[in-house]
Amino acid sequence: VQLQASGGGLVQTGGSLRLSCVASGRALSRFVMGWLRQAPGKQREFVAGITWSEAITSYSDSAKGRFTVSRDRPKNTVHLQMNELKPEDTALYYCAAKVRGASEYGVWGQGTLVTVSS
C-alpha cells in the first residue's frame, strides 16, 4: 500500500480544512486507515481512524465533535474533514495504514502541514 496525502494549508481559528489521502495497492479491505499528527516539539498522536471495509470510525478526544473521517471506496481515498479548527490543531498531519489487528501503523504517507492562526 502506498499513501499520498494532501489538503493542508493555512486557516484562521474556527475555519475548516479537508485532508485527503489516496491509497494505492491491493487488498485495502484488510487495512485500517488513520490520520495522525505531530506538532512542533511534541510526540506524534492519533487523530482519527476508519476501517476500510465497514467504515468503523474512531477519534481522539480532541477530534471528537469537530473532525470527521470518511472513506470513498471507488476513489480509494480517505478524507479528514476538520471543522472549528484551533491553533493547537497546528501540526504535520500524516495518513497511515495498518493491517486490522495490528497495534501500530506500518505504512505512512508524507505529511501535510496544517497551520491554524489565532
Side-chain angles (χ1 to χ4, degrees), residues 41-61:
K42 295 188 177 181
Q43 289 188 331
R44 189 160 52 197
E45 63 175 357
F46 172 80
V47 176
I50 185 167
T51 62
W52 192 263
S53 53
E54 302 97 345
I56 298 170
T57 59
S58 59
Y59 297 93
S60 66
D61 287 343

Side-chain angles (χ1 to χ4, degrees), residues 4-47:
Q4 180 74 33
S6 63
L10 174 64
V11 64
Q12 291 185 333
T13 296
S16 298
L17 279 175
R18 188 174 83 154
L19 305 183
S20 298
C21 175
V22 179
S24 59
R26 297 184 176 183
L28 292 178
S29 61
R30 299 172 54 230
F31 288 88
V32 177
M33 307 299 295
W35 287 97
L36 297 91
R37 69 186 183 187
Q38 187 165 20
K42 295 188 177 181
Q43 289 188 331
R44 189 160 52 197
E45 63 175 357
F46 172 80
V47 176

Side-chain angles (χ1 to χ4, degrees), residues 44-83:
R44 189 160 52 197
E45 63 175 357
F46 172 80
V47 176
I50 185 167
T51 62
W52 192 263
S53 53
E54 302 97 345
I56 298 170
T57 59
S58 59
Y59 297 93
S60 66
D61 287 343
S62 63
K64 284 178 184 175
R66 300 187 300 128
F67 295 1
T68 302
V69 61
S70 62
R71 57 104 173 88
D72 182 341
R73 293 182 72 169
K75 295 184 178 179
N76 281 3
T77 301
V78 176
H79 298 291
L80 183 67
Q81 177 68 42
M82 304 186 294
N83 299 327

